[in-house]
Amino acid sequence: MIDALLAALPDQAYFEQRDFGSSMRETLLASEEPYGCYLHGAKVWDLSKHPDYPFYSVCKTNTVDNTVFIPFRNATVVLSSIVTGELILESMREDDGKMPLIEQPKPKTPRPGIPRAKTYETYDMWRTISAHDLSGGTGSYLAFLHAGNFQSDAFGFRVISDKAPPPTSPFESLLTAKSGGESKGRSIPGVQYHPVPGLEAPSTGGLTFRTGKPSMHNGLASMPVECAFRFIGSWKGDWVRLPLHVMAAEAGSDDPDANVIWLPREKMIFKDGTYSGTFSFDLADFFTPLPGQKPKIPPSAWVSFVHRNWHGPITRVDFGAH
């Protein structure tokens, strides 16, 4: 319901940041939905008319079901270019890094024998980005909100400009670089492309994955993950690879670690406007210990994938005690 109401607003209402929040909050509060968060904005961002792009988010919490959520104001706006697959992460809180974080009160543990009353609360926020945040990029983008162990539904918007197209960006040049040659930065090392028996890719497009048994060997942690995917879309003639982003965080963390797996052309199967394949990687690379700390396997983590015009659901992975 809220998604439909937000999508029906004219673009100018977002750019003017009109005060429609009270209506949205009241509607969400009256709904049967126990908790959740929505993110939306204008359908078209014309850079010649608007130097900035405002996102609007409205959220609902209650005192029982979502006590393990991080505060929604600490959430992350996730943007991906539908054309190139570039991933952009922006804190929902514009003052991020400019002032000390406010310590959030811990939920009170109800006393035995006394049932806890469930009360609800709604609130909303604006978050503005500029063209600089997109590194001059135009075209279509996908956007959603990541809040610890929760993700909103995604929406799409288009960025247009009346100026001449910018020269090829550094990120776009990576799409034509030698496949497998990107081993530094945020790329996940050691990805293996091989058949994965018993794991089928979704017929309608997307990705499925399963985790193997985690282990410790010679002081090094290992958390194997196997994936099968099928994505719908075109693969340009000069591209040799496309990025698949993996976001992972320990349960309760408000800071997802995003790394990229490059899907190489030579490992793809192309059929009927789709490209598919299978691979495996080690999730332990997301949980590298700080200097002086011993490597360990977290008891659980949250994992999700993002690829161009698709983003997967956030999934809890339990590793157990080791």
Side-chain angles (χ1 to χ4, degrees):
M1 177 193 301
I2 299 296
D3 262 336
L5 292 175
L6 292 173
L9 290 171
D11 285 0
Q12 199 60 26
Y14 289 102
F15 288 115
E16 294 176 358
Q17 297 190 33
R18 295 179 188 171
D19 187 16
F20 48 77
S22 59
S23 174
M24 294 296 172
R25 292 194 303 271
E26 290 173 4
T27 301
L28 187 55
L29 187 62
S31 72
E32 295 182 356
E33 183 175 356
Y35 57 83
C37 205
Y38 296 86
L39 181 76
H40 225 285
K43 302 175 186 67
V44 177
W45 179 10
D46 187 339
L47 298 178
S48 66
K49 297 179 180 178
H50 304 285
D52 300 316
Y53 183 89
F55 290 100
Y56 173 77
S57 179
V58 59
C59 305
K60 180 179 183 179
T61 62
N62 69 65
T63 52
V64 175
D65 297 321
N66 57 286
T67 55
V68 297
F69 279 18
I70 67 165
F72 283 118
R73 72 183 302 272
N74 293 347
T76 301
V77 178
V78 183
L79 302 173
S80 63
S81 167
I82 291 180
V83 177
T84 65
E86 180 179 14
L87 191 74
I88 301 167
L89 303 179
E90 294 285 346
S91 172
M92 189 65 192
R93 192 181 61 254
E94 293 193 66
D95 59 5
D96 185 40
K98 298 179 182 178
M99 63 174 60
L101 296 180
I102 300 174
E103 185 176 354
Q104 299 294 328
K106 296 181 179 179
K108 296 180 180 179
T109 303
R111 286 178 287 179
I114 302 178
R116 187 177 189 183
K118 183 187 291 189
T119 58
Y120 298 88
E121 182 179 6
T122 59
Y123 53 94
D124 55 359
M125 291 180 65
W126 286 94
R127 174 63 159 100
T128 301
I129 64 171
S130 68
H132 176 75
D133 295 312
L134 303 182
S135 302
T138 56
S140 297
Y141 286 83
L142 191 74
F144 63 93
L145 198 69
H146 173 96
N149 55 356
F150 174 86
Q151 288 179 176
S152 72
D153 289 338
F155 80 94
F157 66 98
R158 190 161 50 94
V159 182
I160 61 176
S161 174
D162 59 355
K163 297 181 180 179
T168 301
S169 71
F171 182 85
E172 289 173 329
S173 67
L174 295 178
L175 305 181
T176 60
K178 182 179 179 181
S179 181
E182 183 73 10
S183 60
K184 60 182 180 179
R186 297 187 303 170
S187 300
I188 298 175
V191 179
Q192 299 293 320
Y193 296 91
H194 54 76
V196 179
L199 192 62
E200 297 292 332
S203 59
T204 56
L207 178 146
T208 57
F209 75 97
R210 67 189 179 198
T211 58
K213 184 177 180 180
S215 63
M216 293 290 296
H217 183 68
N218 293 332
L220 297 176
S222 178
M223 292 177 277
V225 178
E226 295 178 318
C227 301
F229 66 90
R230 178 178 290 105
F231 294 121
I232 301 171
S234 60
W235 188 300
K236 290 187 178 180
D238 60 341
W239 289 353
V240 296
R241 56 185 185 170
L242 279 176
L244 169 66
H245 301 277
V246 187
M247 298 199 307
E250 289 191 47
S253 170
D254 61 357
D255 187 19
D257 185 14
N259 288 293
V260 65
I261 290 175
W262 289 103
L263 305 177
R265 175 188 290 270
E266 66 269 18
K267 302 295 183 180
M268 298 299 102
I269 298 175
F270 295 89
K271 183 179 180 180
D272 299 330
T274 70
Y275 47 96
S276 60
T278 57
F279 63 91
S280 63
F281 69 100
D282 199 328
L283 195 64
D285 291 314
F286 285 81
F287 306 106
T288 304
L290 297 174
Q293 292 183 344
K294 292 183 179 181
K296 67 175 183 178
I297 297 174
S300 61
W302 295 97
V303 180
S304 62
F305 297 84
V306 183
H307 179 70
R308 301 177 74 188
N309 60 348
W310 176 89
H311 88 99
I314 189 166
T315 304
R316 182 185 178 100
V317 179
D318 293 306
F319 298 109
H322 301 278

